[in-house]
Amino acid sequence: MKLIFAIVQDQDSNRLSDALTDANFRATKLASTGGFLKAGNTTFIIGVEDEQVEATLEIIKNNCKAREQIMSPAASLGVTVDTYVPYPIEVQVGGATVFVMPVDQFQQF
């Protein structure tokens, strides 16, 4: 048995949740926040049998696409506001960060 942690952007969360449900996978959703852009994320916790890992990863891959987004960087505390001109930058958002870990024991009460 494996435990899959999938961290996805909020924009992909509902689509992934629906796809997992349609494929009869049960998942727990947790609200989380990313460190780099401080944007909202959703962390899915999914327990699957070893032979279901690839199918689960394929669902995640198909429903969580990376995309480009334009954003203005926040002013640095060390820079005075009247000399700082924030230029928009393009950053990659979306996609999924996935961890697959072995499960030694599973209990359900």
Side-chain angles (χ1 to χ4, degrees):
M1 181 165 230
K2 300 286 190 227
L3 188 62
I4 300 174
F5 286 91
I7 304 160
V8 304
Q9 190 180 32
D10 280 345
Q11 188 174 344
D12 297 326
S13 175
N14 287 335
R15 184 173 47 252
L16 177 58
S17 181
D18 292 343
L20 289 169
T21 301
D22 291 345
N24 293 320
F25 289 109
R26 297 184 339 181
T28 298
K29 289 172 49 173
L30 301 173
S32 54
T33 303
F36 175 61
L37 296 175
K38 296 181 178 37
N41 292 325
T42 301
T43 300
F44 286 82
I45 303 172
I46 311 159
V48 297
E49 297 298 331
D50 290 348
E51 59 273 2
Q52 297 173 312
V53 170
E54 289 306 316
T56 308
L57 294 177
E58 193 65 27
I59 291 169
I60 295 168
K61 182 179 175 182
N62 290 337
N63 288 280
C64 302
K65 300 292 184 187
R67 55 197 158 274
E68 300 296 322
Q69 178 177 316
I70 303 292
M71 68 172 289
S72 295
S76 170
L77 295 177
V79 177
T80 60
V81 175
D82 38 322
T83 62
Y84 178 72
V85 180
Y87 292 102
I89 58 172
E90 190 173 64
V91 295
Q92 185 176 2
V93 297
T97 301
V98 182
F99 300 91
V100 179
M101 301 185 304
V103 174
D104 292 331
Q105 186 176 21
F106 169 74
Q107 299 289 326
Q108 189 170 11
F109 302 105

